[in-house]
Amino acid sequence: FGQTVSPDGTIYFPFVGKMHVASKTAGEIRDQLAAGLSPYLKKPQVDVRVLAYRSQKVSVTGEVKTPGPLAMSDVPLTLIDAIARSGGTNADADLQRVRLTRNGKLYELDADGVLDRGEISQNVLLQSGDIVNVPDRTDSRVFVMGEVKTPLPVSMMKGRLTIADALTQAGGILDTDANARQIYVVRGAREKPASPDIYRLDLTQPDSLLLSTQFQLRPLDVVYVGTSGAVQFNRLVNQVLPTLQTIFYLKQLTR
């Protein structure tokens, strides 16, 4: 309930009549109403608040259950409030990389940090015209490749994933084919394709096992498990042997 402001900026209030309220504060409207009611009431006490700014809205899109515009009121609307009013997030939502578009500029916010670690600085107050996009986890994956049982992309949970976690989810390294001395992490291939950062881990060393549980991967890192020397030789022979056999049979036929 309340008084809807008409297109000409006025409302109608009983006994007071038509009032112009556009561009006025709640306090100014309260004083105007009290003055208009004073001939009928002794010391009238009036409270005025804005129920909804119908012309001021925030749009929430992406991996939320009910995406769409949210009307603003005089109650401040924060990032977490907007996500909650949109029904919460879907299972694939990436709360660590919520995108806020304001006045043509893009900002990245960590809503998960607000919920898990109380990082209030990330729970910004929203303004009219803001667009909040909750992305999926496409950009929060790590790719495990090479001599593992199941090469696959691994999604990061709450932005955290270690080398040990990634290898475990890929089924572990192959016992016969993998070279445990050559566990590589390739980082920054998208930003620096010609010169990415490469880290090497030797899992045959006892301290490396501990390091593998502490080394935090970053989104779009590539974990590559190298191939043992014997397996490389066998694969090379398997590739070359058909060619040698073909040459041998051709020579036999030409004799």
Side-chain angles (χ1 to χ4, degrees):
F1 298 98
Q3 299 291 332
T4 302
V5 181
S6 61
D8 62 355
T10 62
I11 63 171
Y12 179 83
F13 198 85
F15 297 100
V16 180
K18 196 173 185 179
M19 296 174 46
H20 190 272
V21 297
S23 72
K24 292 183 179 179
T25 65
E28 292 173 342
I29 300 172
R30 181 181 62 245
D31 294 340
Q32 187 177 356
L33 279 173
L37 292 173
S38 58
Y40 309 97
L41 299 174
K42 184 178 181 179
K43 295 182 180 181
Q45 297 180 357
V46 183
D47 183 28
V48 176
R49 61 185 294 263
V50 181
L51 294 179
Y53 296 93
R54 295 192 176 186
S55 62
Q56 300 184 27
K57 298 180 180 179
V58 171
S59 297
V60 182
T61 64
E63 295 298 321
V64 291
K65 294 181 180 179
T66 55
L70 297 176
M72 301 186 69
S73 68
D74 59 343
V75 179
L77 182 65
T78 65
L79 176 67
I80 300 300
D81 293 335
I83 295 175
R85 285 176 56 182
S86 298
T89 59
N90 298 325
D92 293 334
D94 185 1
L95 285 175
Q96 285 201 311
R97 290 170 180 79
V98 178
R99 301 183 180 103
L100 170 64
T101 303
R102 175 178 293 174
N103 298 326
K105 295 183 179 180
L106 182 64
Y107 304 90
E108 192 171 273
L109 301 171
D110 184 4
D112 193 56
V114 181
L115 299 173
D116 278 2
R117 300 181 295 277
E119 297 178 4
I120 304 301
S121 61
Q122 299 293 306
N123 194 24
V124 300
L125 287 174
L126 299 179
Q127 302 175 4
S128 177
D130 284 352
I131 300 175
V132 177
N133 177 259
V134 181
D136 57 22
R137 295 179 183 172
T138 301
D139 291 337
S140 295
R141 296 179 298 170
V142 169
F143 302 94
V144 185
M145 307 171 65
E147 303 302 330
V148 292
K149 294 180 180 179
T150 309
L152 80 171
V154 178
S155 296
M156 305 181 73
M157 295 301 296
K158 297 184 178 180
R160 299 182 65 83
L161 187 72
T162 64
I163 296 179
D165 294 332
L167 292 177
T168 300
Q169 293 193 42
I173 64 176
L174 295 175
D175 298 333
T176 56
D177 297 354
N179 186 349
R181 295 178 179 271
Q182 296 181 357
I183 310 296
Y184 297 100
V185 176
V186 182
R187 177 171 295 169
R190 184 170 65 175
E191 296 81 8
K192 302 180 294 181
S195 58
D197 298 327
I198 300 178
Y199 304 88
R200 177 176 173 269
L201 185 67
D202 183 358
L203 285 182
T204 62
Q205 302 298 322
D207 56 345
S208 295
L209 295 174
L210 178 61
L211 181 60
S212 68
T213 64
Q214 298 177 346
F215 190 97
Q216 292 294 330
L217 299 172
R218 296 180 183 176
L220 303 182
D221 278 355
V222 177
V223 179
Y224 180 81
V225 180
T227 308
S228 65
V231 173
Q232 287 180 343
F233 177 76
N234 291 335
R235 290 177 181 175
L236 178 63
V237 170
N238 291 333
Q239 292 175 357
V240 175
L241 188 58
T243 303
L244 295 177
Q245 290 176 342
T246 302
I247 295 174
F248 173 77
Y249 289 131
L250 286 175
K251 286 185 178 180
Q252 293 294 326
L253 290 174
T254 55
R255 286 182 180 179

